[in-house]
Amino acid sequence: MVFDTQTLTRLIERSLDLSMSGALPPETRAEYLAHGKRLREQLVHLLGARFDAQSAEFKQATDAMHETNHALTQAADDLEKVTQVVGRLGELAGFLDKALRVAGRVV
């Protein structure tokens, strides 16, 4: 049995993408980068490896990868939502500026 390298590749890509996100603190970006690089190295070795699909280690690694991929996808989606809300806050401030300009008086 071969390892699911396609899912691992997507996970690595997300990790490396998040390592370049200015929305994250530098320490977190560095951790995403380090993990992405390590996983990429492991991917190279996994490409030629064959496993016993019934082994506990294979099942544990596969389950952990799918759970982590799901969590990373949610985190990336949440980060995108946070970025969108920041844009909406700026838009709201602009609308409030316009409303204040036409207000009868400001107290």
Side-chain angles (χ1 to χ4, degrees):
M1 168 76 57
V2 295
F3 198 76
D4 180 2
T5 55
Q6 291 180 346
T7 299
L8 182 56
T9 299
R10 285 192 301 274
L11 202 151
I12 293 166
E13 288 172 349
R14 284 189 187 103
S15 294
L16 296 175
D17 285 346
L18 288 169
S19 77
M20 295 181 280
S21 172
L24 296 173
E27 302 82 26
T28 304
R29 290 194 315 259
E31 288 181 44
Y32 273 115
L33 180 61
H35 289 302
K37 286 181 176 182
R38 180 174 180 210
L39 292 171
R40 187 175 56 197
E41 288 175 20
Q42 291 174 322
L43 173 63
V44 171
H45 297 290
L46 287 167
L47 287 171
R50 299 289 181 260
F51 297 92
D52 173 4
Q54 302 306 315
S55 73
E57 294 82 2
F58 181 81
K59 289 179 181 180
Q60 185 179 28
T62 299
D63 291 347
M65 180 187 60
H66 288 290
E67 291 169 7
T68 303
N69 188 51
H70 179 71
L72 193 55
T73 299
Q74 285 185 321
D77 289 348
D78 289 347
L79 186 58
E80 179 64 28
K81 289 176 186 174
V82 168
T83 303
Q84 290 172 359
V85 171
V86 168
R88 291 180 69 182
L89 289 170
E91 188 177 307
L92 171 61
F95 291 142
L96 292 174
D97 284 339
K98 289 178 184 176
L100 285 169
R101 280 190 289 248
V102 298
R105 70 178 194 154
V106 177
V107 234

